[in-house]
Amino acid sequence: MGRPGASPVSAAGDGFIDVVPTWMAEWAISWFGTNDKLVLGIGIAVVLAAAGAAVGLLTVRDRRTGLVAAAVLVGVAAFVVWSRPNLAGADLIPILVGGAVAVPALAWLAGRVADLREAETMSTEGGAGGVGYAARPLSSERDGTARRVFLSGAAGAVLLAVGAGAFGRWIGGRRAGVEASRDELTVDVEFAPADVPDGADLGVAGAEPWRTPNDVFYRIDTAFSAPLVHPDDWRLRVHGMVDTEIELTFDELIGMGLVDRWVTLACVSNLVGGSLIGNALWTGVPIADVLALAGPSPDADAVLSTSDDGWTCGTPLEALTDGRDSLLAVGMNSEPLPVEHGFPVRMVVPGLYGYVSATKWVVDIEVSRFDRFQAYWSTRGWSERGPVKVASRIEVPTSGGDVSAGAVAVAGTAWAQHRGIEAVEVRVDGGAWASADLGEVPTDDTWRQWVFEWNAAPGEHTLDVRATTGDGEIQTEDVAPPAPDGATGLHSITVTAR
Ligand SMILES: Nc1nc2c(c(=O)[nH]1)N[C@H]1C(S)=C(S)[C@@H](COP(=O)(O)O)O[C@H]1N2
Ligand SMILES: [Mo]
């Protein structure tokens, strides 16, 4: 299963994400949110450009050392790509083609620089030799020619390198065989319309919609470029502590029967009041049905799932078999899963943070025990289990903004997936908690909208919100950071009524 975009930048990005310290990855996620990869990409491009410039300077000073350094740089890039868990041999092609062009180009350029130097030396000598004015125009002409040759050569080399990179990618794409373009990545499934249930969306202007459109749904993963997996090539292997090991094709999977379920997905890295959360109608096959085909051992307590690009995730077996709507999803809001959200198949488990449940591009399910493995984020200090913590946020009015004194609609969302939200309360200027009105919800597995009619007196005010779960837990005021198992604390805003 080939991946596109095996440019040195995306390859370095993938490798970098694997070796970067957890705190840095988390910092990037919390500061840049979904744009963390863009920032990483720019950073890597800058580093590569700097390394290239350094090698260039080195070559000018000492040709042999510089060329060896250039070859080493190409070798390192090839190694980073090669060490990726989802290596396709074709991924190496752009780097090798790029290297094959770049090193000779560098050697040639170094030769032109030497000419330039020589020309400069001659013009200086001309002056020093006292031959006077006659020598000047001649040598500066020579100087100018050498410079023109060098500059056009350098420009040519840059073009050549870019062209070689593009050619390498194209060849790599052909070689990878499937290398499906995104348009080809579709599935033969009729999806039910994702109509928002009556009363779920309170429609307050400025509040988040109850159903999150796919194109604005938050995205978190360690894949610098999303794996492109063709449904015809997709297989799901179910093995480990089971009676019978099984392997399913895409058609076999969807042939087991599709259901549609609203589930709100949340990231453990979400900050209080943050937006790493979204709600969608997922279409898929109950994971319990697939597990039942294999027959999990009574000694098993966990499932280790793995994505096409080698990311791993540990989920309590119970959360997949206790009757909740845990799915192997193929659809999102009446469409095939977008590539970024796990096409063609991903896991969705109500009530657990994404890092312990929501494996995108899932290809392998191993029934196991928590004492036998550590998954991707657990090895980086995050909690082995990640049940979603109850949370609530204020979406309107905007913090720091102005409102007109009088009736103000304060609104937002609260969530405690799989336990549900029973109440939301708002507190103005540290006073008594007052109940908000709640939107309808189809199940306990989604977030719930709320609205509070506030009679704002002129002046500056602080508003806090808290939620109570279906099983009676009141959201704590205690402040905790996202690591290791989810942030807590109350979302608070300040507004000025005029
Ligand atoms: N293959 C893969 N699946 C993954 C991840 C990942 O890094 N790789 N990240 C997980 C995390 S941390 C979250 S919060 C959810 C986010 O899903 P989304 O990007 O569709 O919103 O995907 C989960 N599934
Ligand atoms: Mo996450």
Side-chain angles (χ1 to χ4, degrees), residues 85-395:
N86 61 333
L87 169 81
D91 291 357
L92 286 173
I93 293 174
I95 288 169
L96 298 180
V97 170
V101 171
V103 175
L106 194 62
W108 181 83
L109 272 179
R112 298 296 73 69
V113 169
D115 291 352
L116 187 57
R117 284 255 169 94
E118 203 181 317
E120 264 168 9
T121 315
M122 286 177 69
S123 81
T124 327
E125 274 167 2
V131 183
Y133 308 114
R136 201 72 207 163
L138 178 69
S139 53
S140 81
E141 195 175 285
R142 205 195 278 244
D143 194 356
T145 308
R147 186 159 284 152
R148 265 195 301 280
V149 169
F150 172 72
L151 287 179
S152 48
V158 167
L159 281 178
L160 214 63
V162 170
F167 176 72
R169 270 172 90 135
W170 179 74
I171 288 276
R174 307 222 103 195
R175 281 287 299 275
V178 280
E179 204 54 64
S181 79
R182 285 180 177 229
D183 310 339
E184 287 171 46
L185 294 182
T186 185
V187 292
D188 205 6
V189 176
E190 281 256 2
F191 292 103
D195 296 331
V196 173
D198 287 346
D201 202 316
L202 298 172
V204 177
E208 287 287 315
W210 186 81
R211 182 186 86 159
T212 313
N214 291 354
D215 58 350
V216 297
F217 204 99
Y218 82 98
R219 174 189 174 192
I220 295 287
D221 55 61
T222 60
F224 191 83
S225 47
L228 292 191
V229 182
H230 199 286
D232 290 348
D233 301 324
W234 180 86
R235 297 286 182 279
L236 180 69
R237 189 173 161 231
V238 184
H239 61 112
M241 299 171 68
V242 294
D243 296 337
T244 334
E245 187 174 319
I246 58 170
E247 194 177 76
L248 293 175
T249 64
F250 187 80
D251 288 340
E252 286 167 345
L253 175 76
I254 62 175
M256 292 177 67
L258 296 169
V259 297
D260 300 298
R261 299 288 186 265
W262 290 102
V263 177
T264 298
L265 193 64
C267 181
V268 67
S269 299
N270 199 24
L271 301 172
V272 171
S275 55
L276 298 180
I277 178 163
N279 183 48
L281 182 69
W282 305 96
T283 302
V285 175
I287 299 180
D289 293 355
V290 172
L291 288 172
L293 286 180
S297 149
D299 294 335
D301 68 0
V303 157
L304 176 68
S305 55
T306 307
S307 67
D308 180 66
D309 64 336
W311 184 80
T312 56
C313 171
T315 311
L317 182 58
E318 197 189 1
L320 307 177
T321 54
D322 66 1
R324 76 181 76 186
D325 290 323
S326 300
L327 302 179
L328 283 164
V330 300
M332 181 178 185
N333 289 328
S334 322
E335 286 169 18
L337 282 178
V339 167
E340 283 74 17
H341 294 289
F343 184 93
V345 184
R346 76 171 304 167
M347 289 173 50
V348 174
V349 179
L352 304 183
Y353 287 122
Y355 82 109
V356 289
S357 70
T359 309
K360 304 192 270 190
W361 317 289
V362 64
V363 292
D364 191 286
I365 284 181
E366 181 183 347
V367 178
S368 183
R369 297 180 51 86
F370 276 115
D371 57 20
R372 293 193 188 166
F373 68 81
Q374 277 207 306
Y376 187 90
W377 285 113
S378 318
T379 60
R380 289 158 172 83
W382 293 80
S383 175
E384 187 168 76
R385 307 202 182 216
V388 172
K389 294 179 180 177
V390 54
S392 53
R393 71 178 182 204
I394 303 171
E395 292 156 10

